[in-house]
Amino acid sequence: MEALKAKVKDIVESQRRQLIQLSLNIHDNPELGFQEEKASTWLTNYLEDNGFQIEKGIAGLPTAFRATYGQGSPRIALLAEYDALPKVGHGCGHNIIAASAVGAGVASKLAVDNFGGSVVVLGTPGEEVFGGKVDIVRADVFQGIDVAMIVHPNTRDMVTTQALACISLDVEFSGKPAHAAAQPHKGVNALEALILAFNSINSLRQHIKGEARIHGIITDGGEAPNIVPAHSAATFLIRAQDNDYLEELKDKVLNCFIGASLASGATLKYDWGNKTYDPMKNNLTLAQLFSENFELLGRHVKAFDPYFGFGSTDMGNVSQVVPSIHPTVAIASPEVLIHTPEFASAAASDAGHKGLLDAAKTMAMTVVDIFSQPEMLDKIKQEFYRD
Ligand SMILES: [Zn+2]
Ligand SMILES: [Zn+2]
């Protein structure tokens, strides 16, 4: 097993130039969610050149793909993300996720050649806003997959991720326009309705669980200061540690809008997002294997910190159907904030390149662990079904 692990590391090293080039190409050509045509083409070309069978457009998503090497079980999925953010490009470093997943895939062929089974690189587009993995889960793409792994760049080396359940809420108030000075009594103020709702939510915030989050923006606040706003609109995100509490919170938040509608006389229309991001269920057996391999590369894995990395990810949905991990690899110092231009620079730096190579090596070494010790997969599954 040790010899195989050394070999998969060598394979990743031998691909260093190509993987860094892929990462930089994606970084220099940022594409928003579901528009990642270049990234998806470059990644599938690379995998095809390395002997993978390619299926494009899976789950009805044109920029999603499945690349398979080998057949049958164990079947390990390595997930790639490659969408960028508006204005800050790869401020979330998904170029590194993509390059590390394909690098790990190519190195993992050695495990398949030695033990049988298969490795699948899944291209999962539109993570930031569209929850592409929710569609992929719904399309049953994870049927028959034993384990799923993805590594996200960040500012700490960690093997577990705390990610919250999350749903979006679009709201609109409709009132009645009037001259704001001459006949204000004839108007119904849709903006005031929205402000009331914001204030109610701020009051509610005192009495919600510590890890829950409610945050929103006003997307329409009226036309002119001398017209009573007849229309207002906002988008909110509501997050909680588990789906049950998310349901409870949804009712409470909606009541804030209903109350504001009654008080103001403006009519409310609302629309819950059709995709809920599930919380991340970390498979600790798998995380432990990953951690040991990460440390063999000289990485220092930080202990679980419940106050670090409170976001949401569509990998949460994958983790509810298949034993999964979503470790993070440090590519910048802790002061650098993710989703900023500084983090985007880190994603194309030497530390970023090292992060991508280490992530690829560690995933491939973990694949070797799973393929060479069948009892390990049993343990991983026992934990998954026990919880
Ligand atoms: Zn991200
Ligand atoms: Zn992000």
Side-chain angles (χ1 to χ4, degrees), residues 1-2 5 76 147 149 159-160 283-297 301 323 325 327 358 361-381 383:
M1 188 170 79
E2 297 315 314
K5 282 192 185 178
I76 312 262
V147 160
M149 281 190 267
V159 294
T160 52
N283 189 283
L284 299 181
T285 312
L286 186 55
Q288 182 60 33
L289 291 177
F290 189 94
S291 177
E292 284 162 18
N293 292 322
F294 222 15
E295 296 215 328
L296 285 176
L297 299 180
V301 176
I325 49 169
D358 283 357
K361 288 174 190 173
T362 311
M363 280 192 278
M365 290 159 81
T366 308
V367 171
V368 169
D369 279 324
I370 297 168
F371 273 70
S372 62
Q373 310 165 82
E375 69 280 8
M376 212 36 103
L377 189 55
D378 293 340
K379 247 181 101 182
I380 289 168
K381 288 188 169 176
E383 179 191 328

mmCIF file of all heavy atoms in Angstrom, residues 1-2 5 76 147 149 159-160 283-297 301 323 325 327 358 361-381 383:
data_model
loop_
_atom_site.group_PDB
_atom_site.id
_atom_site.type_symbol
_atom_site.label_atom_id
_atom_site.label_comp_id
_atom_site.label_asym_id
_atom_site.label_seq_id
_atom_site.Cartn_x
_atom_site.Cartn_y
_atom_site.Cartn_z
ATOM 1 N N MET A 1 0.831 -1.195 0.000
ATOM 2 C CA MET A 1 0.000 0.000 0.000
ATOM 3 C C MET A 1 0.880 1.266 0.000
ATOM 4 O O MET A 1 0.613 2.224 -0.716
ATOM 5 C CB MET A 1 -0.916 -0.014 1.218
ATOM 6 C CG MET A 1 -1.941 1.083 1.199
ATOM 7 S SD MET A 1 -3.174 0.854 2.474
ATOM 8 C CE MET A 1 -2.309 1.444 3.919
ATOM 9 N N GLU A 2 1.937 1.222 0.823
ATOM 10 C CA GLU A 2 2.822 2.398 0.888
ATOM 11 C C GLU A 2 3.473 2.666 -0.465
ATOM 12 O O GLU A 2 3.605 3.817 -0.886
ATOM 13 C CB GLU A 2 3.884 2.226 1.986
ATOM 14 C CG GLU A 2 3.309 2.122 3.403
ATOM 15 C CD GLU A 2 2.224 3.168 3.707
ATOM 16 O OE1 GLU A 2 2.434 4.355 3.384
ATOM 17 O OE2 GLU A 2 1.163 2.784 4.245
ATOM 18 N N LYS A 5 0.998 4.261 -2.707
ATOM 19 C CA LYS A 5 0.784 5.675 -2.344
ATOM 20 C C LYS A 5 1.925 6.540 -2.890
ATOM 21 O O LYS A 5 1.699 7.653 -3.373
ATOM 22 C CB LYS A 5 0.679 5.832 -0.827
ATOM 23 C CG LYS A 5 -0.665 5.417 -0.275
ATOM 24 C CD LYS A 5 -0.784 5.886 1.173
ATOM 25 C CE LYS A 5 -2.060 5.381 1.788
ATOM 26 N NZ LYS A 5 -2.177 5.771 3.203
ATOM 27 N N ILE A 76 -15.524 5.258 -6.640
ATOM 28 C CA ILE A 76 -15.240 6.483 -5.866
ATOM 29 C C ILE A 76 -15.438 7.696 -6.771
ATOM 30 O O ILE A 76 -14.924 7.714 -7.896
ATOM 31 C CB ILE A 76 -13.779 6.480 -5.374
ATOM 32 C CG1 ILE A 76 -13.440 5.139 -4.738
ATOM 33 C CG2 ILE A 76 -13.515 7.676 -4.458
ATOM 34 C CD1 ILE A 76 -13.513 5.034 -3.297
ATOM 35 N N VAL A 147 -18.368 6.386 -2.349
ATOM 36 C CA VAL A 147 -17.731 7.448 -1.566
ATOM 37 C C VAL A 147 -17.562 8.671 -2.469
ATOM 38 O O VAL A 147 -17.301 8.518 -3.665
ATOM 39 C CB VAL A 147 -16.328 6.960 -1.092
ATOM 40 C CG1 VAL A 147 -15.437 8.120 -0.707
ATOM 41 C CG2 VAL A 147 -16.446 5.983 0.077
ATOM 42 N N MET A 149 -15.617 12.626 -2.717
ATOM 43 C CA MET A 149 -14.637 13.543 -2.111
ATOM 44 C C MET A 149 -14.502 14.792 -2.977
ATOM 45 O O MET A 149 -14.561 14.715 -4.205
ATOM 46 C CB MET A 149 -13.244 12.891 -2.071
ATOM 47 C CG MET A 149 -13.034 11.904 -0.969
ATOM 48 S SD MET A 149 -11.272 11.456 -0.860
ATOM 49 C CE MET A 149 -11.258 10.010 -1.912
ATOM 50 N N VAL A 159 -10.189 18.759 7.678
ATOM 51 C CA VAL A 159 -10.760 17.606 6.970
ATOM 52 C C VAL A 159 -12.275 17.515 7.118
ATOM 53 O O VAL A 159 -12.923 16.732 6.440
ATOM 54 C CB VAL A 159 -10.094 16.278 7.381
ATOM 55 C CG1 VAL A 159 -8.651 16.256 6.937
ATOM 56 C CG2 VAL A 159 -10.204 16.043 8.875
ATOM 57 N N THR A 160 -12.848 18.321 8.033
ATOM 58 C CA THR A 160 -14.304 18.371 8.123
ATOM 59 C C THR A 160 -14.740 19.800 7.820
ATOM 60 O O THR A 160 -13.969 20.739 8.005
ATOM 61 C CB THR A 160 -14.798 18.006 9.537
ATOM 62 O OG1 THR A 160 -14.094 18.814 10.472
ATOM 63 C CG2 THR A 160 -14.583 16.534 9.846
ATOM 64 N N ASN A 283 -18.218 12.381 6.857
ATOM 65 C CA ASN A 283 -17.922 10.989 7.226
ATOM 66 C C ASN A 283 -16.563 10.970 7.914
ATOM 67 O O ASN A 283 -15.515 11.177 7.282
ATOM 68 C CB ASN A 283 -17.928 10.087 5.989
ATOM 69 C CG ASN A 283 -17.835 8.619 6.381
ATOM 70 O OD1 ASN A 283 -16.770 8.121 6.727
ATOM 71 N ND2 ASN A 283 -18.962 7.920 6.351
ATOM 72 N N LEU A 284 -16.572 10.726 9.240
ATOM 73 C CA LEU A 284 -15.339 10.882 10.020
ATOM 74 C C LEU A 284 -14.333 9.765 9.753
ATOM 75 O O LEU A 284 -13.129 9.991 9.863
ATOM 76 C CB LEU A 284 -15.675 10.977 11.514
ATOM 77 C CG LEU A 284 -16.571 12.175 11.890
ATOM 78 C CD1 LEU A 284 -16.840 12.205 13.381
ATOM 79 C CD2 LEU A 284 -15.955 13.500 11.430
ATOM 80 N N THR A 285 -14.817 8.580 9.367
ATOM 81 C CA THR A 285 -13.880 7.501 9.028
ATOM 82 C C THR A 285 -13.071 7.906 7.792
ATOM 83 O O THR A 285 -11.846 7.776 7.752
ATOM 84 C CB THR A 285 -14.651 6.189 8.744
ATOM 85 O OG1 THR A 285 -15.582 5.973 9.790
ATOM 86 C CG2 THR A 285 -13.721 5.013 8.614
ATOM 87 N N LEU A 286 -13.783 8.427 6.811
ATOM 88 C CA LEU A 286 -13.142 8.884 5.583
ATOM 89 C C LEU A 286 -12.236 10.094 5.871
ATOM 90 O O LEU A 286 -11.111 10.193 5.365
ATOM 91 C CB LEU A 286 -14.253 9.243 4.585
ATOM 92 C CG LEU A 286 -13.902 9.618 3.168
ATOM 93 C CD1 LEU A 286 -13.068 8.544 2.498
ATOM 94 C CD2 LEU A 286 -15.177 9.870 2.361
ATOM 95 N N ALA A 287 -12.741 10.996 6.720
ATOM 96 C CA ALA A 287 -11.966 12.187 7.080
ATOM 97 C C ALA A 287 -10.650 11.798 7.752
ATOM 98 O O ALA A 287 -9.606 12.419 7.516
ATOM 99 C CB ALA A 287 -12.783 13.088 7.995
ATOM 100 N N GLN A 288 -10.699 10.736 8.574
ATOM 101 C CA GLN A 288 -9.495 10.286 9.277
ATOM 102 C C GLN A 288 -8.444 9.784 8.281
ATOM 103 O O GLN A 288 -7.260 10.120 8.379
ATOM 104 C CB GLN A 288 -9.880 9.186 10.285
ATOM 105 C CG GLN A 288 -8.719 8.652 11.116
ATOM 106 C CD GLN A 288 -8.042 9.734 11.959
ATOM 107 O OE1 GLN A 288 -8.716 10.668 12.423
ATOM 108 N NE2 GLN A 288 -6.729 9.638 12.132
ATOM 109 N N LEU A 289 -8.878 9.003 7.284
ATOM 110 C CA LEU A 289 -7.938 8.523 6.255
ATOM 111 C C LEU A 289 -7.314 9.705 5.527
ATOM 112 O O LEU A 289 -6.103 9.766 5.307
ATOM 113 C CB LEU A 289 -8.673 7.658 5.217
ATOM 114 C CG LEU A 289 -9.211 6.297 5.645
ATOM 115 C CD1 LEU A 289 -9.953 5.652 4.486
ATOM 116 C CD2 LEU A 289 -8.055 5.400 6.102
ATOM 117 N N PHE A 290 -8.178 10.651 5.136
ATOM 118 C CA PHE A 290 -7.699 11.825 4.410
ATOM 119 C C PHE A 290 -6.701 12.599 5.261
ATOM 120 O O PHE A 290 -5.647 13.020 4.793
ATOM 121 C CB PHE A 290 -8.886 12.713 4.027
ATOM 122 C CG PHE A 290 -8.526 13.831 3.090
ATOM 123 C CD1 PHE A 290 -8.670 13.678 1.716
ATOM 124 C CD2 PHE A 290 -8.021 15.034 3.568
ATOM 125 C CE1 PHE A 290 -8.327 14.701 0.843
ATOM 126 C CE2 PHE A 290 -7.670 16.062 2.704
ATOM 127 C CZ PHE A 290 -7.825 15.896 1.332
ATOM 128 N N SER A 291 -7.022 12.742 6.542
ATOM 129 C CA SER A 291 -6.181 13.497 7.465
ATOM 130 C C SER A 291 -4.778 12.888 7.567
ATOM 131 O O SER A 291 -3.764 13.594 7.504
ATOM 132 C CB SER A 291 -6.862 13.514 8.833
ATOM 133 O OG SER A 291 -6.063 14.172 9.766
ATOM 134 N N GLU A 292 -4.729 11.555 7.701
ATOM 135 C CA GLU A 292 -3.424 10.887 7.822
ATOM 136 C C GLU A 292 -2.590 11.111 6.562
ATOM 137 O O GLU A 292 -1.386 11.393 6.633
ATOM 138 C CB GLU A 292 -3.619 9.392 8.084
ATOM 139 C CG GLU A 292 -4.042 9.121 9.536
ATOM 140 C CD GLU A 292 -4.672 7.742 9.737
ATOM 141 O OE1 GLU A 292 -4.486 6.855 8.866
ATOM 142 O OE2 GLU A 292 -5.361 7.556 10.766
ATOM 143 N N ASN A 293 -3.225 11.024 5.413
ATOM 144 C CA ASN A 293 -2.496 11.238 4.154
ATOM 145 C C ASN A 293 -2.059 12.692 3.990
ATOM 146 O O ASN A 293 -0.973 12.984 3.499
ATOM 147 C CB ASN A 293 -3.358 10.801 2.966
ATOM 148 C CG ASN A 293 -3.549 9.298 2.948
ATOM 149 O OD1 ASN A 293 -2.619 8.552 3.269
ATOM 150 N ND2 ASN A 293 -4.743 8.853 2.597
ATOM 151 N N PHE A 294 -2.928 13.607 4.406
ATOM 152 C CA PHE A 294 -2.631 15.043 4.336
ATOM 153 C C PHE A 294 -1.384 15.333 5.173
ATOM 154 O O PHE A 294 -0.491 16.077 4.758
ATOM 155 C CB PHE A 294 -3.834 15.792 4.915
ATOM 156 C CG PHE A 294 -4.256 17.028 4.163
ATOM 157 C CD1 PHE A 294 -3.815 17.298 2.878
ATOM 158 C CD2 PHE A 294 -5.135 17.942 4.753
ATOM 159 C CE1 PHE A 294 -4.232 18.447 2.197
ATOM 160 C CE2 PHE A 294 -5.557 19.086 4.085
ATOM 161 C CZ PHE A 294 -5.102 19.336 2.812
ATOM 162 N N GLU A 295 -1.327 14.720 6.355
ATOM 163 C CA GLU A 295 -0.186 14.971 7.250
ATOM 164 C C GLU A 295 1.090 14.338 6.704
ATOM 165 O O GLU A 295 2.177 14.874 6.913
ATOM 166 C CB GLU A 295 -0.506 14.497 8.668
ATOM 167 C CG GLU A 295 -1.672 15.312 9.238
ATOM 168 C CD GLU A 295 -1.592 15.602 10.720
ATOM 169 O OE1 GLU A 295 -1.049 14.758 11.448
ATOM 170 O OE2 GLU A 295 -2.071 16.682 11.141
ATOM 171 N N LEU A 296 0.951 13.223 5.992
ATOM 172 C CA LEU A 296 2.148 12.614 5.366
ATOM 173 C C LEU A 296 2.802 13.587 4.387
ATOM 174 O O LEU A 296 3.989 13.503 4.102
ATOM 175 C CB LEU A 296 1.764 11.326 4.616
ATOM 176 C CG LEU A 296 1.461 10.090 5.466
ATOM 177 C CD1 LEU A 296 1.000 8.941 4.572
ATOM 178 C CD2 LEU A 296 2.694 9.673 6.283
ATOM 179 N N LEU A 297 2.009 14.523 3.852
ATOM 180 C CA LEU A 297 2.561 15.519 2.925
ATOM 181 C C LEU A 297 3.091 16.737 3.674
ATOM 182 O O LEU A 297 3.467 17.736 3.057
ATOM 183 C CB LEU A 297 1.490 15.972 1.931
ATOM 184 C CG LEU A 297 0.882 14.900 1.019
ATOM 185 C CD1 LEU A 297 -0.164 15.529 0.098
ATOM 186 C CD2 LEU A 297 1.958 14.221 0.177
ATOM 187 N N VAL A 301 -3.146 19.397 10.069
ATOM 188 C CA VAL A 301 -4.602 19.455 10.049
ATOM 189 C C VAL A 301 -5.108 20.086 11.341
ATOM 190 O O VAL A 301 -4.768 19.654 12.439
ATOM 191 C CB VAL A 301 -5.195 18.043 9.855
ATOM 192 C CG1 VAL A 301 -6.716 18.084 9.920
ATOM 193 C CG2 VAL A 301 -4.726 17.467 8.519
ATOM 194 N N PRO A 323 -21.501 8.564 1.531
ATOM 195 C CA PRO A 323 -20.472 8.981 2.489
ATOM 196 C C PRO A 323 -19.510 9.969 1.816
ATOM 197 O O PRO A 323 -18.969 9.676 0.748
ATOM 198 C CB PRO A 323 -19.754 7.675 2.842
ATOM 199 C CG PRO A 323 -20.713 6.590 2.489
ATOM 200 C CD PRO A 323 -21.532 7.098 1.345
ATOM 201 N N ILE A 325 -16.689 13.597 2.123
ATOM 202 C CA ILE A 325 -15.923 14.614 2.849
ATOM 203 C C ILE A 325 -15.708 15.819 1.943
ATOM 204 O O ILE A 325 -15.749 15.706 0.708
ATOM 205 C CB ILE A 325 -14.554 14.117 3.375
ATOM 206 C CG1 ILE A 325 -13.746 13.400 2.274
ATOM 207 C CG2 ILE A 325 -14.727 13.249 4.616
ATOM 208 C CD1 ILE A 325 -12.299 13.121 2.654
ATOM 209 N N PRO A 327 -12.907 18.368 2.603
ATOM 210 C CA PRO A 327 -11.808 19.005 3.346
ATOM 211 C C PRO A 327 -11.418 20.342 2.707
ATOM 212 O O PRO A 327 -11.813 20.642 1.577
ATOM 213 C CB PRO A 327 -10.661 18.001 3.200
ATOM 214 C CG PRO A 327 -11.249 16.765 2.637
ATOM 215 C CD PRO A 327 -12.456 17.186 1.885
ATOM 216 N N ASP A 358 -1.222 19.092 -3.596
ATOM 217 C CA ASP A 358 -1.381 18.339 -2.340
ATOM 218 C C ASP A 358 -2.790 17.750 -2.225
ATOM 219 O O ASP A 358 -2.962 16.633 -1.745
ATOM 220 C CB ASP A 358 -1.089 19.230 -1.119
ATOM 221 C CG ASP A 358 0.420 19.444 -0.921
ATOM 222 O OD1 ASP A 358 1.204 18.862 -1.701
ATOM 223 O OD2 ASP A 358 0.800 20.193 0.006
ATOM 224 N N LYS A 361 -2.927 14.752 -4.578
ATOM 225 C CA LYS A 361 -2.172 13.619 -4.018
ATOM 226 C C LYS A 361 -2.948 12.979 -2.877
ATOM 227 O O LYS A 361 -3.062 11.746 -2.793
ATOM 228 C CB LYS A 361 -0.808 14.104 -3.479
ATOM 229 C CG LYS A 361 0.185 14.472 -4.574
ATOM 230 C CD LYS A 361 1.442 15.078 -3.954
ATOM 231 C CE LYS A 361 2.326 15.676 -5.036
ATOM 232 N NZ LYS A 361 3.475 16.415 -4.496
ATOM 233 N N THR A 362 -3.473 13.814 -1.984
ATOM 234 C CA THR A 362 -4.145 13.264 -0.799
ATOM 235 C C THR A 362 -5.401 12.491 -1.190
ATOM 236 O O THR A 362 -5.679 11.426 -0.634
ATOM 237 C CB THR A 362 -4.478 14.391 0.199
ATOM 238 O OG1 THR A 362 -3.299 15.171 0.388
ATOM 239 C CG2 THR A 362 -4.927 13.841 1.529
ATOM 240 N N MET A 363 -6.170 13.028 -2.154
ATOM 241 C CA MET A 363 -7.362 12.285 -2.589
ATOM 242 C C MET A 363 -6.954 10.946 -3.199
ATOM 243 O O MET A 363 -7.559 9.908 -2.911
ATOM 244 C CB MET A 363 -8.174 13.107 -3.593
ATOM 245 C CG MET A 363 -9.040 14.149 -2.919
ATOM 246 S SD MET A 363 -10.260 14.894 -4.029
ATOM 247 C CE MET A 363 -9.250 16.111 -4.854
ATOM 248 N N ALA A 364 -5.899 10.959 -4.038
ATOM 249 C CA ALA A 364 -5.475 9.706 -4.692
ATOM 250 C C ALA A 364 -4.947 8.712 -3.655
ATOM 251 O O ALA A 364 -5.207 7.501 -3.740
ATOM 252 C CB ALA A 364 -4.411 10.006 -5.748
ATOM 253 N N MET A 365 -4.221 9.196 -2.643
ATOM 254 C CA MET A 365 -3.723 8.307 -1.576
ATOM 255 C C MET A 365 -4.895 7.711 -0.791
ATOM 256 O O MET A 365 -4.871 6.544 -0.394
ATOM 257 C CB MET A 365 -2.792 9.092 -0.630
ATOM 258 C CG MET A 365 -1.457 9.473 -1.284
ATOM 259 S SD MET A 365 -0.661 10.864 -0.416
ATOM 260 C CE MET A 365 0.091 10.012 0.962
ATOM 261 N N THR A 366 -5.936 8.512 -0.601
ATOM 262 C CA THR A 366 -7.115 8.028 0.127
ATOM 263 C C THR A 366 -7.861 6.986 -0.711
ATOM 264 O O THR A 366 -8.389 6.007 -0.171
ATOM 265 C CB THR A 366 -8.016 9.230 0.514
ATOM 266 O OG1 THR A 366 -7.190 10.193 1.188
ATOM 267 C CG2 THR A 366 -9.161 8.824 1.411
ATOM 268 N N VAL A 367 -7.874 7.184 -2.029
ATOM 269 C CA VAL A 367 -8.464 6.172 -2.921
ATOM 270 C C VAL A 367 -7.692 4.849 -2.766
ATOM 271 O O VAL A 367 -8.292 3.775 -2.642
ATOM 272 C CB VAL A 367 -8.450 6.652 -4.399
ATOM 273 C CG1 VAL A 367 -8.847 5.515 -5.335
ATOM 274 C CG2 VAL A 367 -9.395 7.840 -4.582
ATOM 275 N N VAL A 368 -6.357 4.937 -2.705
ATOM 276 C CA VAL A 368 -5.540 3.724 -2.515
ATOM 277 C C VAL A 368 -5.919 3.036 -1.196
ATOM 278 O O VAL A 368 -6.107 1.824 -1.142
ATOM 279 C CB VAL A 368 -4.028 4.064 -2.543
ATOM 280 C CG1 VAL A 368 -3.193 2.868 -2.083
ATOM 281 C CG2 VAL A 368 -3.601 4.525 -3.935
ATOM 282 N N ASP A 369 -6.085 3.830 -0.129
ATOM 283 C CA ASP A 369 -6.496 3.259 1.169
ATOM 284 C C ASP A 369 -7.788 2.466 1.026
ATOM 285 O O ASP A 369 -7.912 1.361 1.558
ATOM 286 C CB ASP A 369 -6.756 4.384 2.192
ATOM 287 C CG ASP A 369 -5.468 4.910 2.814
ATOM 288 O OD1 ASP A 369 -4.552 4.097 3.045
ATOM 289 O OD2 ASP A 369 -5.392 6.126 3.079
ATOM 290 N N ILE A 370 -8.753 3.055 0.345
ATOM 291 C CA ILE A 370 -10.081 2.430 0.260
ATOM 292 C C ILE A 370 -10.036 1.175 -0.625
ATOM 293 O O ILE A 370 -10.599 0.141 -0.278
ATOM 294 C CB ILE A 370 -11.123 3.441 -0.278
ATOM 295 C CG1 ILE A 370 -11.261 4.612 0.700
ATOM 296 C CG2 ILE A 370 -12.475 2.762 -0.505
ATOM 297 C CD1 ILE A 370 -12.029 5.801 0.132
ATOM 298 N N PHE A 371 -9.317 1.271 -1.759
ATOM 299 C CA PHE A 371 -9.273 0.124 -2.674
ATOM 300 C C PHE A 371 -8.479 -1.041 -2.085
ATOM 301 O O PHE A 371 -8.810 -2.193 -2.309
ATOM 302 C CB PHE A 371 -8.642 0.549 -4.012
ATOM 303 C CG PHE A 371 -9.626 1.123 -4.980
ATOM 304 C CD1 PHE A 371 -10.204 2.361 -4.760
ATOM 305 C CD2 PHE A 371 -9.986 0.430 -6.127
ATOM 306 C CE1 PHE A 371 -11.110 2.896 -5.657
ATOM 307 C CE2 PHE A 371 -10.892 0.960 -7.030
ATOM 308 C CZ PHE A 371 -11.454 2.198 -6.797
ATOM 309 N N SER A 372 -7.427 -0.726 -1.318
ATOM 310 C CA SER A 372 -6.556 -1.800 -0.849
ATOM 311 C C SER A 372 -7.055 -2.434 0.449
ATOM 312 O O SER A 372 -6.574 -3.484 0.837
ATOM 313 C CB SER A 372 -5.124 -1.270 -0.669
ATOM 314 O OG SER A 372 -5.118 -0.252 0.304
ATOM 315 N N GLN A 373 -8.023 -1.795 1.130
ATOM 316 C CA GLN A 373 -8.538 -2.362 2.391
ATOM 317 C C GLN A 373 -10.065 -2.390 2.335
ATOM 318 O O GLN A 373 -10.714 -1.430 2.762
ATOM 319 C CB GLN A 373 -8.116 -1.507 3.579
ATOM 320 C CG GLN A 373 -6.639 -1.179 3.633
ATOM 321 C CD GLN A 373 -6.370 -0.055 4.615
ATOM 322 O OE1 GLN A 373 -6.282 -0.270 5.811
ATOM 323 N NE2 GLN A 373 -6.257 1.161 4.114
ATOM 324 N N PRO A 374 -10.645 -3.492 1.835
ATOM 325 C CA PRO A 374 -12.108 -3.541 1.691
ATOM 326 C C PRO A 374 -12.839 -3.285 3.002
ATOM 327 O O PRO A 374 -13.940 -2.737 3.012
ATOM 328 C CB PRO A 374 -12.366 -4.968 1.193
ATOM 329 C CG PRO A 374 -11.063 -5.435 0.643
ATOM 330 C CD PRO A 374 -9.982 -4.703 1.351
ATOM 331 N N GLU A 375 -12.208 -3.637 4.134
ATOM 332 C CA GLU A 375 -12.889 -3.431 5.421
ATOM 333 C C GLU A 375 -13.063 -1.929 5.707
ATOM 334 O O GLU A 375 -13.956 -1.524 6.468
ATOM 335 C CB GLU A 375 -12.146 -4.137 6.567
ATOM 336 C CG GLU A 375 -10.793 -3.580 6.960
ATOM 337 C CD GLU A 375 -9.631 -4.013 6.023
ATOM 338 O OE1 GLU A 375 -9.894 -4.635 4.962
ATOM 339 O OE2 GLU A 375 -8.469 -3.700 6.344
ATOM 340 N N MET A 376 -12.197 -1.107 5.094
ATOM 341 C CA MET A 376 -12.287 0.338 5.304
ATOM 342 C C MET A 376 -13.596 0.885 4.722
ATOM 343 O O MET A 376 -14.270 1.715 5.336
ATOM 344 C CB MET A 376 -11.087 0.984 4.607
ATOM 345 C CG MET A 376 -10.559 2.216 5.252
ATOM 346 S SD MET A 376 -10.596 2.249 7.036
ATOM 347 C CE MET A 376 -8.904 1.935 7.414
ATOM 348 N N LEU A 377 -13.946 0.389 3.539
ATOM 349 C CA LEU A 377 -15.187 0.833 2.908
ATOM 350 C C LEU A 377 -16.391 0.400 3.758
ATOM 351 O O LEU A 377 -17.351 1.156 3.920
ATOM 352 C CB LEU A 377 -15.292 0.268 1.483
ATOM 353 C CG LEU A 377 -16.416 0.805 0.616
ATOM 354 C CD1 LEU A 377 -16.380 2.323 0.507
ATOM 355 C CD2 LEU A 377 -16.358 0.187 -0.787
ATOM 356 N N ASP A 378 -16.304 -0.800 4.337
ATOM 357 C CA ASP A 378 -17.381 -1.259 5.219
ATOM 358 C C ASP A 378 -17.539 -0.310 6.404
ATOM 359 O O ASP A 378 -18.645 0.061 6.781
ATOM 360 C CB ASP A 378 -17.093 -2.674 5.767
ATOM 361 C CG ASP A 378 -17.116 -3.721 4.662
ATOM 362 O OD1 ASP A 378 -17.712 -3.426 3.604
ATOM 363 O OD2 ASP A 378 -16.543 -4.804 4.853
ATOM 364 N N LYS A 379 -16.394 0.089 6.978
ATOM 365 C CA LYS A 379 -16.426 0.983 8.138
ATOM 366 C C LYS A 379 -17.050 2.343 7.772
ATOM 367 O O LYS A 379 -17.843 2.905 8.522
ATOM 368 C CB LYS A 379 -14.986 1.235 8.631
ATOM 369 C CG LYS A 379 -14.693 0.638 9.991
ATOM 370 C CD LYS A 379 -13.259 0.937 10.430
ATOM 371 C CE LYS A 379 -13.197 2.090 11.421
ATOM 372 N NZ LYS A 379 -11.820 2.415 11.822
ATOM 373 N N ILE A 380 -16.654 2.833 6.584
ATOM 374 C CA ILE A 380 -17.166 4.121 6.113
ATOM 375 C C ILE A 380 -18.697 4.040 5.957
ATOM 376 O O ILE A 380 -19.427 4.929 6.390
ATOM 377 C CB ILE A 380 -16.505 4.499 4.762
ATOM 378 C CG1 ILE A 380 -15.038 4.879 4.992
ATOM 379 C CG2 ILE A 380 -17.256 5.612 4.052
ATOM 380 C CD1 ILE A 380 -14.196 4.996 3.726
ATOM 381 N N LYS A 381 -19.144 2.916 5.375
ATOM 382 C CA LYS A 381 -20.594 2.756 5.145
ATOM 383 C C LYS A 381 -21.346 2.539 6.448
ATOM 384 O O LYS A 381 -22.452 3.058 6.613
ATOM 385 C CB LYS A 381 -20.848 1.595 4.195
ATOM 386 C CG LYS A 381 -20.439 1.940 2.774
ATOM 387 C CD LYS A 381 -20.861 0.872 1.804
ATOM 388 C CE LYS A 381 -20.661 1.396 0.383
ATOM 389 N NZ LYS A 381 -20.975 0.376 -0.613
ATOM 390 N N GLU A 383 -20.627 3.760 9.314
ATOM 391 C CA GLU A 383 -20.799 5.074 9.947
ATOM 392 C C GLU A 383 -21.919 5.835 9.259
ATOM 393 O O GLU A 383 -22.780 6.443 9.913
ATOM 394 C CB GLU A 383 -19.490 5.877 9.871
ATOM 395 C CG GLU A 383 -19.661 7.257 10.511
ATOM 396 C CD GLU A 383 -18.518 8.221 10.257
ATOM 397 O OE1 GLU A 383 -17.350 7.775 10.134
ATOM 398 O OE2 GLU A 383 -18.789 9.428 10.167
#
